[in-house]
Amino acid sequence: MTFAEIEAAVTAQVAPFVQVPGLEGAIRFILAFGDAELYIGKNPRDTNELVQMFGRESAEAFANLATLSRRIPPAKPWLAAHSHAQGLSIARIAQKLRISDISAHLSAPRGREPRTTARRRRRSRLPARNPLQSVIPS
């Protein structure tokens, strides 16, 4: 997945955060405040962490967004896909997002279906076996 495809594939969950600071700013915002409740006042002080990170104009723009919820979503699958498109390894993505390498691998876009689905399909092709067959003498 290219950078342009990831930018186009912004989920509804992440879209309000991309409106104000742009794609890279939204990533910084979600990494800093994701999975937490955040109150953004209409007139934030200079000591506010959001003001220090993005500036007063962006903080006020965040406060004026009607679609912004108080609980900031973690958006880890979206962040993993973006990080993978940037060329980060699966291990580095897992460290950065504080998720397992398996979750990072499954979230990173590939040209094929996830391994778990392929395994399930392979197992379902096998004939059903009686679990007592090996216990009962023939």
Side-chain angles (χ1 to χ4, degrees), residues 12-36:
Q13 173 186 56
V14 178
F17 307 104
V18 177
Q19 288 177 7
V20 175
L23 187 64
E24 292 301 320
I27 291 166
R28 280 191 2 226
F29 180 85
I30 292 170
L31 285 173
F33 302 108
D35 210 18

Side-chain angles (χ1 to χ4, degrees), residues 1 15 21 28-29 34 37 44 47 55 66 86 101 104 112 122 124 126:
M1 192 175 253
R28 280 191 2 226
F29 180 85
E37 191 171 322
T47 57
Q86 294 295 321
D101 59 337
R112 59 182 192 275
R122 220 177 306 130
S124 66
L126 297 174

Side-chain angles (χ1 to χ4, degrees), residues 64-83:
N64 292 326
L65 282 176
T67 57
L68 194 66
S69 65
R70 286 189 71 161
R71 179 149 310 267
I72 310 303
K76 289 185 180 185
W78 182 76
L79 288 171
H82 177 269
S83 299

Side-chain angles (χ1 to χ4, degrees), residues 7-60:
E7 191 173 27
V10 171
T11 62
Q13 173 186 56
V14 178
F17 307 104
V18 177
Q19 288 177 7
V20 175
L23 187 64
E24 292 301 320
I27 291 166
R28 280 191 2 226
F29 180 85
I30 292 170
L31 285 173
F33 302 108
D35 210 18
E37 191 171 322
L38 179 68
Y39 172 75
I40 304 172
K42 298 281 183 191
N43 190 13
R45 295 185 176 154
D46 291 334
T47 57
N48 187 320
E49 192 174 358
L50 190 63
V51 172
Q52 291 175 356
M53 189 179 251
F54 294 101
R56 175 170 293 286
E57 294 81 22
S58 293
E60 289 172 355

Side-chain angles (χ1 to χ4, degrees), residues 96-126:
K96 181 179 175 182
L97 300 179
R98 305 263 189 246
I99 58 176
S100 70
D101 59 337
I102 295 167
S103 295
H105 179 72
L106 293 175
S107 296
R110 301 274 185 212
R112 59 182 192 275
E113 62 183 328
R115 285 177 37 191
T116 54
T117 306
R119 281 186 189 157
R120 239 181 272 131
R121 284 203 182 131
R122 220 177 306 130
R123 265 191 244 129
S124 66
R125 289 185 200 143
L126 297 174

